[in-house]
Amino acid sequence: MARSTMAPLVAAVDGSEGSLRALDWAVDEARLRGRRLRVVHAFTWLTSGVPAEVVQRYDLATMARRIAEEARAHALARAPELDVEAAWPEGDPGDVLLEEAERAALVVVGSRGASRLGAVFLGSVGLQLAALAPCPLVVVPHLEPRPATGRVVAGLDGSAPARAAAEWAFDEAARRRATLHAVAVYGTASHGVFVSLETPPPGPGSPEERAAEEEARRELSESLAGLRARRPEVRAESAVIAGHPAHVLTTRSRTADLVVVGSRGRGGFAGMLLGSVSQTLLTHAACPVAVLHADASEDDRALGGAGG
């Protein structure tokens, strides 16, 4: 789905320290892309678990407006030249953000937030966005900011979403003038999501292990085909690594500015957004993680490539 060149970056906020760190990342990204920023705080009157007499003491709409406008002020203090708008729509956070994603170039959320609202970002809301958002989603960790490393890591496996992730990662590396590290992983997970837990992993040097490594190399080559020529200004490195995808990418995130993955993969990344791999990576990565769908790169090209 091609998006308007006016599509904003959307940052979900809830007033927590974690969401402000995500907002800072979104501000810097909007500045890199030359795009406007839309700061969104979704609220609902269905505050499950909160006693009715407590809810009645507060005007939730007023509180939501204050959170959104304070976040807007925070963004403008960081980048006074940026076009920033604030919104505080009523509704379920997941539904609101999915609707925002329909008109966004990118949605940014924090990995942790305030109790009841922010804490769901990596529960049902975060995984809902990662699986269903029609635009790229970036999850920013709650960790203290650190100096830039000049590295963008892409986890690739030859699937259509991985191809989208590769294209987006090349564009992001170009924007940041960073080195792209493309990684394919093989090992026990490469033999399928539903392998019996009793099935032993292939031993080092075994025919199965060599076949898995060769398949990973082929898939990595498929994901990168033509991209080096399209983005000659990007220094790109590739590696095929034995291990578990979540562990490998989490480890690589410690020396990266951004990790990029497809929404669903095959082989070592199969079911990335369906179970423990996704939750481990999105929860424990030391840098922001971007999740791409198969058509996301097409949208990004419509937005103007590296300048979009």
Side-chain angles (χ1 to χ4, degrees):
M1 178 181 64
R3 297 176 190 279
S4 166
T5 55
M6 298 300 292
L9 270 70
V10 170
V13 298
D14 61 14
S16 68
E17 183 179 354
S19 78
L20 290 180
R21 286 178 180 159
L23 177 58
D24 286 343
W25 191 94
V27 167
D28 295 344
E29 185 71 10
R31 190 158 42 186
L32 272 176
R33 292 170 174 243
R35 287 189 169 271
R36 64 189 176 95
L37 179 65
R38 180 172 167 84
V39 178
V40 178
H41 174 71
F43 75 99
T44 175
W45 300 99
L46 301 176
T47 50
S48 176
V50 179
E53 61 271 18
V54 175
V55 175
Q56 292 171 3
R57 297 176 191 171
Y58 299 97
D59 182 340
L60 292 185
T62 299
M63 182 183 301
R65 178 175 181 172
R66 176 180 58 79
I67 290 173
E69 290 187 338
E70 287 181 355
R72 179 179 182 272
H74 179 94
L76 287 172
R78 187 176 182 91
E81 77 284 5
L82 207 60
D83 182 1
V84 185
E85 62 179 317
W88 48 95
E90 178 184 353
D92 174 79
D95 293 341
V96 167
L97 292 175
L98 281 176
E99 185 175 348
E100 291 284 340
E102 293 285 346
R103 302 180 295 275
L106 177 69
V107 172
V108 182
V109 302
S111 65
R112 293 187 186 179
S115 61
R116 305 192 187 285
L117 289 181
V120 298
F121 277 156
L122 275 189
S124 60
V125 172
L127 292 180
Q128 181 182 8
L129 289 170
L132 300 176
C135 70
L137 171 74
V138 173
V139 177
V140 179
H142 66 284
L143 304 173
E144 287 285 345
R146 64 187 187 191
T149 65
R151 295 161 60 96
V152 172
V153 172
L156 307 177
D157 65 4
S159 63
R163 174 73 181 189
E167 294 191 30
W168 198 85
F170 263 89
D171 289 345
E172 195 67 18
R175 290 185 185 101
R176 297 167 176 269
R177 299 181 180 179
T179 299
L180 176 67
H181 294 261
V183 178
V185 181
Y186 69 95
T188 305
S190 300
H191 294 267
V193 178
F194 301 107
V195 171
S196 168
L197 294 177
E198 289 76 29
T199 302
S206 68
E208 293 83 2
E209 197 260 2
R210 291 196 299 271
E213 180 180 5
E214 183 59 30
E215 178 68 5
R217 291 188 186 281
R218 183 187 64 78
E219 292 170 345
L220 181 59
S221 178
E222 288 180 1
S223 295
L224 295 176
L227 294 179
R228 285 189 171 95
R230 187 171 72 86
R231 284 291 188 194
E233 74 276 26
V234 175
R235 179 185 174 189
E237 303 172 351
S238 60
V240 176
I241 303 171
H244 189 281
H247 175 73
V248 169
L249 293 180
T250 299
T251 299
R252 294 261 167 155
S253 74
R254 297 169 189 161
T255 56
D257 297 324
L258 182 68
V259 171
V260 186
V261 295
S263 60
R264 295 187 184 183
R266 65 193 189 202
F269 294 101
M272 174 67 80
L273 267 279
L274 300 178
S276 61
V277 172
S278 63
Q279 295 186 42
T280 298
L281 177 60
L282 293 177
T283 303
H284 296 293
C287 71
V289 176
V291 180
L292 275 289
H293 291 263
D295 62 346
S297 60
E298 296 176 5
D299 292 344
D300 207 39
R301 284 197 298 273
L303 292 171

